[in-house]
Amino acid sequence: MLLRDLSVAAVLQLLLCVQCLHGSALPAVSSYEFTAYRMQQYNLAQQKHGCRGAIVVAEARSADEPVLTRRCVIMKVVDFTTEKYLEAQRQNAAAILILLPKNISSIPHDTIQSFMVSESEALLKETLMPIYVVPEDEQLLYMYEEVKQAAATRTSSIFVRVLRSMVTATAFQILVSNNAPIKGITDNTVVALEGVLPGAGDDAPTIVITAHYDSYGLAPWLSYGADSNGSGVIILLELARLFQKLFSSPRTRPPYHLMFSLTGGGKYNFLGTRRWIEENLDHAESSLLHDNVAFVLCLDTLANGDELYMHVSRPPKPDAPMHSFIQQLEEVVSSRFPWVKVGLVHKKINLVESTVAWEHERYSLRRIPSFTLSHLEDPKSELRGSMLDTMSQVDFRKMKRNGIIIAEALARYMYNLSDKGSPKDVQVFKGQLDFHDGRISSLMSFLTSVPRATQLLDKEPGHILLVNSLEHEFKRYLQQVHRHAFRQDRRDPDITFFDQMNQPIVMYRVKPAAFDLFLGGCIAAYLGIVYYTIQNFGYLYTKLKAAVKSKHE
């Protein structure tokens, strides 16, 4: 009896000692359900983009593990690099789950840039590996630290690694069990809004100011597009508000029609812009685009930097209106903001390519003089489509400055102030005619309150309300406001999106399968000791009695 008690105590002590190797700081629930957002999937111009898979049944692993095959790789933003993404693909990982911090401003700038580059490259091609993004919370961070700690034990001794992996390590099973097939969506509606401030005279030329309002990123449900292109939309709305005050009086109404348009589908080959141009040129009996168009100014990504690049498909001729406006813009910058770099970027349209780089190229293809104004020099910049493009990354001071530059240049051009001998540093927009800091901030908060991805805008109530609110904002300051809703032809769609963009995921906290084998071995060893003790009780008792007697003597 005494030996049996000793054997039981020995086994329990062994298990307790092994458990001490685990060292978990925080407890976690045995199962936890959360909503994750799948990497977007779409077909554009016969090219496939995004991930084609959705189902995940796999054990969680850190990206630092050497073997990722059939594992769900858990990454933070700092972990998601092109190298690790490609390595997970090469090893046929079951899935990738990216934890997105709620406070983007806490991420170092270099990390944000690195993630944006990897995000952009991942979206260039398709992958069968499901990729999900989920906002961080306490349970998910606990799981991340656990799998990270498990990967770190690879530097420990073999004995510690074996014991921890077999007995004490906590395994997390990631489960997305929706067996419904992924379906294509071809009935999306793209909405374009337009409004006009009529100028003095019936034959006045038209200046068009346009911006696309949708956002883009790895996961549509987490893409808010603050700089690209919330900044373009906000500056356009402010220009409409300010110039409405000038156009409202016959004494200050310039001899130009000022036309504003907000288009959707900008992140997908500027689909909404193309449809809107076709509607005005090919189908409408009367449109200002039929008449004398001085130029089209496209606003894109203007909430940062000390650079302003004017992107053109062909350099404007010296006597062209667009050339005169660019001169006025350069004059405003040199006289009031000399530290801002202004440059002209000439890029011919490659007719062989199936997609265009900037919105103005849609107009240039129809021989309408146009250019895009942006603080980005490269149209393929990762800043034009990222989940990390949030309001925390916006420099409101620089966005307001860029808006002032555009407004002053437009006023100088339309009122011909240079030829009238006005000083170079004259300020048309000041006092009540000024950009309002509070209004700019409120508009940005409104635009980034819900994701503006194209595939969501006509499906969800909150997103539909956003487009309706933009239309209402137009009607406050513009006349002849029109709403164009373009529905795709299902037989020959320009773009095909796919469903299952948000999925419920269950995380199970379990012991690894090797734990059952180890526990079975411990039980077998215990039973063996008990059996041996019973079978040889007389012999062991005699030995023990002799040992005790010799000790007392």
Side-chain angles (χ1 to χ4, degrees):
M1 186 68 178
L2 177 61
L3 287 175
R4 185 176 63 184
D5 293 341
L6 290 173
S7 63
V8 172
V11 173
L12 290 176
Q13 186 176 6
L14 173 63
L15 292 176
L16 289 173
C17 290
V18 172
Q19 183 63 29
C20 292
L21 295 172
H22 182 42
S24 296
L26 293 171
V29 294
S30 58
S31 66
Y32 179 59
E33 183 173 340
F34 57 93
T35 300
Y37 303 94
R38 190 166 70 96
M39 175 183 181
Q40 64 172 300
Q41 177 186 356
Y42 64 95
N43 298 341
L44 176 64
Q46 299 181 344
Q47 293 184 352
K48 297 180 179 180
H49 301 265
C51 69
R52 321 309 268 184
I55 298 176
V56 182
V57 182
E59 187 178 336
R61 280 288 193 272
S62 169
D64 298 331
E65 292 280 0
V67 179
L68 302 175
T69 305
R70 297 190 297 276
R71 301 292 191 270
C72 179
V73 186
I74 311 300
M75 297 184 181
K76 281 187 175 182
V77 167
V78 68
D79 303 319
F80 188 76
T81 63
T82 302
E83 293 75 17
K84 290 185 178 180
Y85 170 71
L86 294 177
E87 179 62 20
Q89 279 189 321
R90 187 187 67 80
Q91 292 197 38
N92 295 317
I96 291 178
L97 181 64
I98 303 172
L99 307 185
L100 194 68
K102 295 180 179 179
N103 184 13
I104 304 297
S105 60
S106 63
I107 308 176
H109 179 72
D110 293 344
T111 301
I112 290 178
Q113 291 296 114
S114 174
F115 181 88
M116 285 182 172
V117 171
S118 303
E119 182 183 11
S120 176
E121 292 179 354
L123 282 166
L124 289 177
K125 299 179 181 179
E126 67 171 332
T127 176
L128 295 175
M129 177 176 61
I131 300 175
Y132 285 93
V133 186
V134 59
E136 290 179 352
D137 63 22
E138 184 179 355
Q139 292 294 334
L140 295 173
L141 288 174
Y142 171 80
M143 175 183 65
Y144 175 83
E145 293 300 331
E146 284 291 294
V147 297
K148 193 82 170 176
Q149 186 178 3
T153 60
R154 289 188 289 108
T155 60
S156 306
S157 65
I158 295 177
F159 177 73
V160 173
R161 284 156 51 191
V162 170
L163 286 181
R164 191 182 195 284
S165 62
M166 293 184 62
V167 184
T168 66
T170 301
F172 293 92
Q173 195 79 6
I174 305 298
L175 176 62
V176 181
S177 58
N178 186 355
N179 294 321
I182 300 174
K183 297 180 180 179
I185 303 172
T186 58
D187 61 344
N188 286 79
T189 300
V190 179
V191 175
L193 304 172
E194 71 175 48
V196 179
L197 292 175
D202 296 333
D203 298 326
T206 301
I207 297 174
V208 180
I209 302 176
T210 182
H212 70 87
Y213 57 78
D214 51 339
S215 60
Y216 184 80
L218 190 75
W221 276 96
L222 298 172
S223 303
Y224 297 94
D227 192 0
S228 178
N229 188 32
S231 61
V233 174
I234 291 171
I235 290 177
L236 183 145
L237 293 175
E238 279 293 88
L239 291 175
R241 180 181 68 85
L242 295 176
F243 277 96
Q244 184 269 341
K245 297 180 182 297
L246 296 178
F247 275 74
S248 61
S249 173
R251 294 186 299 106
T252 57
R253 184 177 301 161
Y256 288 90
H257 300 306
L258 202 50
M259 188 176 193
F260 297 87
S261 72
L262 288 173
T263 58
K267 301 298 185 178
Y268 302 96
N269 208 16
F270 296 97
L271 174 63
T273 304
R274 193 197 79 190
R275 294 288 187 86
W276 183 74
I277 294 173
E278 291 173 352
E279 178 78 11
N280 277 273
L281 294 183
D282 302 336
H283 304 296
E285 295 182 0
S286 61
S287 169
L288 290 177
L289 289 187
H290 282 295
D291 303 327
N292 178 21
V293 177
F295 56 85
V296 177
L297 170 58
C298 306
L299 307 177
D300 194 327
T301 320
L302 290 162
N304 237 312
D306 286 326
E307 300 84 18
L308 275 179
Y309 295 101
M310 291 161 284
H311 298 267
V312 297
S313 299
R314 58 177 63 91
K317 296 180 180 179
D319 57 344
M322 194 166 79
H323 183 270
S324 300
F325 171 78
I326 291 176
Q327 282 185 323
Q328 297 296 335
L329 190 143
E330 291 174 340
E331 193 169 284
V332 171
V333 171
S334 62
S335 61
R336 296 186 54 186
F337 309 100
W339 61 88
V340 177
K341 174 186 175 183
V342 178
L344 187 71
V345 181
H346 174 214
K347 175 187 171 297
K348 291 183 178 180
I349 300 176
N350 188 351
L351 298 177
V352 177
E353 293 183 359
S354 56
T355 58
V356 296
W358 294 105
E359 186 174 9
H360 75 267
E361 296 181 13
R362 283 295 180 197
Y363 293 90
S364 296
L365 287 170
R366 301 301 296 263
R367 299 187 180 280
I368 299 175
S370 56
F371 69 103
T372 296
L373 197 61
S374 173
H375 72 77
L376 298 175
E377 184 176 11
D378 183 4
K380 297 181 179 180
S381 172
E382 63 277 2
L383 295 173
R384 296 186 70 194
S386 175
M387 297 182 297
L388 301 189
D389 181 14
T390 61
M391 194 164 71
S392 63
Q393 304 301 311
V394 169
D395 190 324
F396 286 95
R397 180 178 55 85
K398 293 181 179 179
M399 182 170 64
K400 177 181 177 180
R401 178 204 65 203
N402 291 337
I404 292 172
I405 291 173
I406 297 169
E408 294 288 353
L410 276 172
R412 293 181 68 86
Y413 172 78
M414 289 192 296
Y415 293 102
N416 198 19
L417 297 183
S418 294
D419 292 346
K420 294 180 179 179
S422 300
K424 291 185 177 181
D425 58 350
V426 63
Q427 296 184 35
V428 176
F429 297 96
K430 57 183 179 180
Q432 293 184 348
L433 288 176
D434 196 5
F435 282 73
H436 293 168
D437 295 336
R439 176 176 162 80
I440 291 175
S441 178
S442 297
L443 284 172
M444 182 61 76
S445 298
F446 164 69
L447 287 174
T448 56
S449 60
V450 295
R452 303 190 313 280
T454 303
Q455 54 266 60
L456 303 177
L457 288 170
D458 68 331
K459 306 296 182 185
E460 301 293 328
H463 307 82
I464 296 173
L465 178 62
L466 186 141
V467 177
N468 292 339
S469 298
L470 287 175
E471 182 178 10
H472 175 72
E473 186 73 15
F474 252 34
K475 290 180 178 178
R476 288 177 62 187
Y477 303 109
L478 305 177
Q479 299 178 25
Q480 304 174 22
V481 175
H482 298 284
R483 177 190 182 111
H484 305 268
F486 305 108
R487 183 171 289 276
Q488 292 199 80
D489 186 349
R490 294 191 180 188
R491 295 168 299 178
D492 186 23
D494 296 285
I495 186 169
T496 301
F497 296 112
F498 292 84
D499 61 6
Q500 300 189 29
M501 286 294 97
N502 55 332
Q503 291 280 0
I505 294 183
V506 180
M507 175 187 74
Y508 291 101
R509 176 184 168 94
V510 297
K511 290 293 183 182
F515 177 76
D516 294 335
L517 297 176
F518 181 82
L519 184 59
C522 290
I523 294 173
Y526 165 70
L527 293 177
I529 293 173
V530 173
Y531 178 79
Y532 177 81
T533 303
I534 294 173
Q535 292 295 320
N536 299 276
F537 181 75
Y539 173 76
L540 293 174
Y541 179 75
T542 303
K543 288 290 185 180
L544 180 61
K545 185 177 180 181
V548 172
K549 184 177 180 181
S550 62
K551 182 178 180 181
H552 285 295
E553 292 177 354

